[in-house]
Amino acid sequence: MRKPNSTNSLNETRLIRNCGMDYTLSIIGGRWKPTILFSLIKCKMRYSELLKCIPGISERMLVAQLRELEKHGMVRRIVYPEVPPRVEYELTELGHSAEPMLNSISDWGNMHREQEGHAELQPESLATLAK
């Protein structure tokens, strides 16, 4: 945890306040958030479904990232009053508004990966990474 008055913290705050891209990346940036958002574009999903469809993410990290996305209004957590409890996650209107950006980022990444000669991992390779 950084000190709130450290130069690094003050610079980050200044950038987030003055630059739309920095603000956006503070909300959706990181290793897992874009993948979580991309997974929720088509439909709402239960926690266990998200965990299965995102290879390599730990339960703890998924919970933390979902909470941050929920705090920023990108994801809605729906708790159904039943036994056993059922929880689903879906994109909010704000979350859905990021869809064109996420698609553009994905397209750019796929194009750049091909130009750099990095092969796309096949599903069986992803399963190995998750172990």
Side-chain angles (χ1 to χ4, degrees):
M1 184 95 188
R2 286 187 296 218
K3 295 178 185 174
N5 292 328
S6 70
T7 303
N8 194 9
S9 185
L10 293 172
N11 286 338
E12 179 183 33
T13 301
R14 191 175 303 117
L15 282 170
I16 288 171
R17 283 187 184 147
N18 296 317
C19 179
M21 186 179 309
D22 282 314
Y23 180 72
T24 301
L25 290 174
S26 75
I27 294 172
I28 68 158
R31 178 176 295 177
W32 303 110
K33 287 180 190 174
T35 304
I36 293 167
L37 292 169
F38 210 78
S39 299
L40 292 171
I41 285 175
K42 298 284 185 240
C43 63
K44 56 178 123 174
M45 298 177 80
R46 295 181 76 163
Y47 172 83
S48 60
E49 294 170 325
L50 277 169
L51 195 59
K52 286 177 190 172
C53 84
I54 304 174
I57 193 168
S58 68
E59 290 185 38
R60 181 178 174 197
M61 183 57 67
L62 180 57
V63 167
Q65 299 295 281
L66 284 167
R67 283 185 181 152
E68 283 186 34
L69 289 167
E70 187 179 9
K71 180 181 91 176
H72 288 292
M74 300 290 287
V75 169
R76 179 179 302 113
R77 182 175 188 259
I78 306 164
V79 181
Y80 296 94
E82 36 186 73
V83 178
R86 179 169 55 114
V87 177
E88 291 182 331
Y89 293 90
E90 67 181 356
L91 292 183
T92 61
E93 191 174 319
L94 180 63
H96 277 292
S97 73
E99 183 177 350
M101 174 185 55
L102 292 169
N103 285 324
S104 293
I105 291 170
S106 178
D107 292 344
W108 185 88
N110 289 332
M111 176 196 67
H112 188 67
R113 181 180 54 222
E114 290 170 10
Q115 288 176 352
E116 292 289 312
H118 298 289
E120 185 175 348
L121 290 175
Q122 299 304 313
E124 58 274 4
S125 300
L126 291 173
T128 305
L129 289 176
K131 292 180 183 178

